[in-house]
Amino acid sequence: MTLSSSDSLLVVGAGIMGAGIAQVAAQAGHTVHLFDLRPGAAEEARRQLGRSLDTLVAKGRIEAAAAEATLGRIHAIDALEQAASARLVIEAIVERLDAKRALFQQLEGLLAPEAILATNTSSISVTAIANGLQHPERLVGMHFFNPVPLMKLVEVVSGLGTAPAVAEAITGLARSWGKLPVAARSTPGFIVNRIARPYYAETLALLHEQAATPLVLDTALKAAGFRMGPCELMDLIGHDTNFSVTKSVYEANFFDKRYMPSLVQQELVDAGWLGRKSGRGFYAYPEGAGRLPVAVHDTPATAGVVTVHGRGPVADWLEAMAARALSSQGWGPAREPDSDWTGLAVDGARLVLTDGRTARAWARAHGVRDVAVFDRPVAGGVGQPPDAAAAAAPIALAWATHADCSAAWRTQAPAWLAALGFVPLPVADTPGLVVARTLAMLINEAADAVQQGVCTPEGADAAMKLGVNYPAGPFEWLAGWSVDGVAALIAQLDAVYRGERYRLSPWLAARTATLR
Ligand code: NAD
């Protein structure tokens, strides 16, 4: 079963997604029938598409003849019967189960028995939509991302009864349209909307306990390679939309606390502070997030003895950066690779890469008073620090100390971070700080999705990079870190918060060397 550009298509729903899908299909050479329940909507969508194609011609992005041919292949129709010869229908109507079921049941009576039925639903179970069809095996999810002409990802979502040949035909078709199809099993949120939840949830949890401001959290995560910080992004998506996706994933998982929505976001929705579109969310618009003033660390980082502890890429990086910082004084750091922690001993004080423990917990466990913890440096987004030599610009990095730390180390810890090439961002003494905690939970969610057969690790990586522009995929971050490191960090979060949110994925648990 294959589909080619000579097969005609029916797109139902001429809204933002339907119009985009019609454009991409027509550009690939298909004859497209476009239908909308609202009279005139399909014709208006076609006219609007004509205007956008004209703009692309004016900018020299496409040839005038190609634009004309694309538009010529799109036919606005006012009755579904006019598209009875279509080999494939893609539905992009209102996000309601009853409406989608009724539409597909009607279409079954109109189209040829071998026609493929695809739904662009972003949150409804494909299995549930197929229930009631005479041939549920020919219904499949074809989940595009907005804006359809620009976003390469298509989640090809199989419900319980979807025939593998139908999913394969849609996969081949998406590829022939220049998209990157990723197979998903129909489960709440599919791949992207599920794995992305912790990106928002961890920041909302940190805001809830007043660990840092939205600007600090956004700055830290952008320094880790994310194009937008979570607060800016929620403001852009709209808190009503983002909150309702979170709620639907939470409810669809039978109120698993892993996905629990946040009171912080509920409050914004209650206030009508929906983000950019209402002029106010975490930030006020049009100004937006702004930038943090860069703190000037005029206190020199001083020490008698500096030792870099631990092994691995972060320790190597710290050693190179410390050597650079100390070279003007004519000496360099010592190295203790066999330590069970990573970081810097500066005389009697410690600057520790987060392992999930707070500075206070670490200080108690090691019997050292002057302890500061710092976040995982993930410059470039791939889960590892860059080469020391390549680290030209300082990287914003969260750090914290605890109430009993001396005043001297409170000043020296950020001075050392600055000397090591970071812009230190002070946050409250919370477990796993900001980036490490967020990445660990994204990895954990992706691991669960793989464990449950929703997608493959490669599928998860591709989906997160292409669907939400993450700088790397969760399994790429994991490769730059370690299963034991991630598992230990999540165990610490679980020990502090004692809920279900920080439950280690069995996929990770099965791969740890030290935990069970
Ligand atoms: P939209 O409101 O812009 O468009 C929906 C269109 O469907 C409207 O023009 C409406 O008149 C029409 N319609 C409603 N019921 C109909 C019916 N029974 N028969 C024919 N036409 C009908 O919505 P949208 O954002 O394009 O979303 C459409 C679908 O795509 C939804 O299922 C949504 O969840 C999904 N989706 C949306 C996005 C997004 O970012 N907007 C992304 C991926 C998937």
Side-chain angles (χ1 to χ4, degrees):
M1 185 182 278
T2 49
L3 290 158
S4 73
S5 61
S6 62
D7 291 316
S8 76
L9 246 73
L10 165 62
V11 175
V12 187
I16 183 156
M17 297 303 287
I21 295 165
Q23 175 187 340
V24 170
Q27 278 174 328
H30 296 269
T31 298
V32 180
H33 302 285
L34 184 60
F35 174 79
D36 199 286
L37 199 58
R38 196 163 53 80
E43 191 47 57
E44 175 47 34
R46 188 178 178 279
R47 271 196 299 273
Q48 175 58 41
L49 180 57
R51 288 191 286 271
S52 355
L53 290 170
D54 286 347
T55 313
L56 291 178
V57 172
K59 286 184 180 166
R61 303 253 179 86
I62 54 173
E63 299 284 330
E68 200 181 321
T70 297
L71 202 59
R73 283 192 279 268
I74 300 180
H75 308 280
I77 58 172
D78 50 21
L80 287 171
E81 288 74 10
Q82 292 165 346
S85 63
R87 288 268 339 262
L88 166 69
V89 48
I90 304 178
E91 166 276 312
I93 67 168
V94 60
E95 185 73 342
R96 271 195 3 236
L97 176 60
D98 58 341
K100 291 187 193 282
R101 266 188 184 156
L103 173 71
F104 282 116
Q105 286 171 16
Q106 184 189 355
L107 287 168
E108 256 198 332
L110 291 177
L111 303 179
E114 67 277 10
I116 293 178
L117 312 177
T119 171
N120 182 45
T121 181
S122 37
S123 64
I124 301 175
S125 155
V126 172
T127 305
I129 297 174
N131 185 357
L133 290 182
Q134 287 163 27
H135 294 288
E137 67 278 5
R138 59 168 163 160
L139 187 101
V140 64
M142 190 174 191
H143 185 212
F144 291 87
F145 289 73
N146 186 15
V148 178
L150 297 183
M151 299 296 284
K152 279 186 86 74
L153 181 66
V154 175
E155 290 178 340
V156 179
V157 187
S158 290
L160 199 55
T162 304
V166 168
E168 277 158 30
I170 291 297
T171 301
L173 183 74
R175 212 169 268 134
S176 74
W177 293 359
K179 300 294 184 195
L180 199 133
V182 174
R185 213 158 62 77
S186 183
T187 46
F190 308 143
I191 305 175
V192 171
N193 279 338
R194 172 198 180 143
I195 297 179
R197 293 338 304 151
Y199 190 58
Y200 314 109
E202 293 311 310
T203 275
L204 290 166
L206 287 164
L207 289 170
H208 198 190
E209 58 186 79
Q210 306 196 65
T213 62
L215 188 50
V216 165
L217 295 169
D218 278 353
T219 305
L221 283 151
K222 282 196 283 187
F226 289 93
R227 212 173 281 182
M228 292 184 82
C231 297
E232 290 178 290
L233 185 54
M234 285 183 269
D235 272 4
L236 178 70
I237 295 168
H239 289 283
D240 48 347
T241 306
N242 189 260
F243 190 58
S244 93
V245 177
T246 303
K247 272 208 311 197
S248 89
V249 172
Y250 178 51
E251 287 163 17
N253 281 290
F254 302 115
F255 304 97
D256 182 343
K257 297 282 183 280
R258 165 84 65 81
Y259 306 103
M260 192 160 76
S262 165
L263 284 176
V264 172
Q265 196 167 36
Q266 166 86 70
E267 194 176 30
L268 291 170
V269 173
D270 286 348
W273 293 12
L274 304 181
R276 233 169 236 277
K277 65 183 171 190
S278 70
R280 176 143 205 189
F282 284 119
Y283 305 107
Y285 294 88
E287 294 78 17
R291 280 173 182 276
L292 279 174
V294 178
V296 178
H297 287 274
D298 41 15
T299 315
T302 54
V305 181
V306 173
T307 309
V308 174
H309 287 253
R311 59 176 86 235
V314 176
D316 292 345
W317 195 38
L318 290 174
E319 185 176 15
M321 298 303 272
R324 198 168 80 173
L326 295 169
S327 65
S328 62
Q329 298 170 36
W331 57 286
R335 182 85 187 245
E336 285 272 357
D338 294 328
S339 288
D340 60 358
W341 59 281
T342 298
L344 233 58
V346 179
D347 299 332
R350 303 285 182 269
L351 194 54
V352 181
L353 171 67
T354 182
D355 60 7
R357 282 178 287 184
T358 59
R360 180 183 169 78
W362 205 96
R364 287 207 167 167
H366 287 77
V368 182
R369 180 182 169 209
D370 283 343
V371 173
V373 291
F374 63 93
D375 210 350
R376 214 177 157 71
V378 190
V382 288
Q384 294 199 345
D387 291 343
I395 298 159
L397 198 76
W399 74 282
T401 185
H402 62 114
D404 298 334
C405 177
S406 73
W409 187 236
R410 224 170 256 288
T411 315
Q412 275 294 301
W416 269 99
L417 284 171
L420 294 171
F422 299 113
V423 177
L425 301 174
V427 302
D429 190 17
T430 43
L433 301 177
V434 181
V435 171
R437 164 180 178 152
T438 304
L439 296 190
M441 289 305 285
L442 288 167
I443 291 167
N444 199 47
E445 196 56 50
D448 254 3
V450 170
Q451 176 75 43
Q452 293 159 14
V454 176
C455 58
T456 61
E458 298 73 30
D461 281 349
M464 301 317 287
K465 288 192 285 187
L466 296 173
V468 272
N469 291 320
Y470 281 4
F475 292 93
E476 290 171 334
W477 284 318
L478 181 61
W481 192 345
S482 72
V483 173
D484 284 325
V486 172
L489 193 126
I490 291 174
Q492 291 300 331
L493 287 163
D494 189 43
V496 171
Y497 295 108
R498 298 214 178 274
E500 290 168 44
R501 194 188 287 279
Y502 302 104
R503 190 177 65 220
L504 186 66
S505 166
W507 191 94
L508 289 169
R511 285 162 178 77
T512 52
T514 52
L515 295 170
R516 229 150 269 286

